[in-house]
Amino acid sequence: MRRLIGGFTLFAAGVVAGVFLMQPGLAQQQNQNPGLRLNHVGIYVKDYEESMRFYTKTMGFKEAFTIKDKDGKPTLTYLQLSKDTFLELAPATAERPVGLSHIGFWPEDLGVAVAALRQRGVKVDDPRTGSTKTSITNVIDPNGVRLEMLDFLPGSLPRLAIDSWK
């Protein structure tokens, strides 16, 4: 378990460093699939409050939005690293152990991306509207990692955060 957490920490640090060190325009030009962009990484955290303090106070990321359950407890939070790059935090549970939850990709056109993946033999469900009011579907990679494919509909929480970025 310690190795898994260490590996994930290294992965997350690489994503954060890449956001700050790479020129986003150049990275997109070199992408073999220019219609697909990395948008966020989701992690399940062992201590939600401690993680929020670390990522907002220590790392300096801005809280974009939080979804809460009927009792007012957070179920997920998007932290904004740049205009269209986020880190998603969700409390770990017995069913959702600490570590990587998923990787979120934002295609230029979700319908076209889903059709292309299906044509390549990938099992992809029809997109649905998620709790963030985003059109979303999932793909599972060969390692069992969930890849979210999403489109930020007008009025969706990520779209509002992107549009209000300063």
Side-chain angles (χ1 to χ4, degrees):
M1 184 66 164
R2 181 177 243 175
R3 183 187 280 176
L4 177 65
I5 292 172
F8 173 74
T9 301
L10 182 60
F11 171 79
V15 169
V16 171
V19 167
F20 289 112
L21 298 175
M22 290 186 66
Q23 297 174 1
L26 181 59
Q28 294 301 325
Q29 290 170 3
Q30 294 173 350
N31 187 349
Q32 295 296 338
N33 187 354
L36 197 60
R37 298 160 285 185
L38 178 65
N39 173 258
H40 70 277
V41 174
I43 58 174
Y44 294 129
V45 298
K46 67 179 174 182
D47 184 323
Y48 176 82
E49 294 302 325
E50 178 182 28
S51 295
M52 283 294 292
R53 279 191 301 278
F54 175 78
Y55 285 109
T56 58
K57 304 288 187 225
T58 305
M59 298 297 293
F61 302 153
K62 175 181 135 186
E63 181 178 342
F65 60 87
T66 297
I67 304 286
K68 296 181 179 182
D69 66 14
K70 61 181 172 50
D71 298 322
K73 293 182 180 175
T75 59
L76 73 84
T77 295
Y78 264 46
L79 299 171
Q80 200 163 12
L81 285 70
S82 68
K83 181 175 181 169
D84 57 6
T85 307
F86 300 88
L87 178 64
E88 179 183 319
L89 303 181
T93 65
E95 299 80 33
R96 304 181 323 187
V98 171
L100 180 66
S101 163
H102 64 278
I103 302 169
F105 291 100
W106 181 20
E108 285 180 10
D109 184 312
L110 182 59
V112 169
V114 167
L117 288 167
R118 286 178 176 158
Q119 189 172 18
R120 295 177 193 149
V122 177
K123 181 184 177 296
V124 185
D125 293 331
D126 289 334
R128 61 177 173 71
T129 301
S131 62
T132 63
K133 302 175 187 156
T134 298
S135 186
I136 185 172
T137 190
N138 293 289
V139 173
I140 305 300
D141 86 350
N143 303 295
V145 176
R146 183 168 58 96
L147 307 176
E148 279 186 356
M149 306 288 287
L150 31 88
D151 184 18
F152 302 124
L153 305 172
S156 68
L157 298 177
R159 169 54 64 197
L160 294 172
I162 290 168
D163 290 346
S164 67
W165 178 259
K166 293 179 176 100

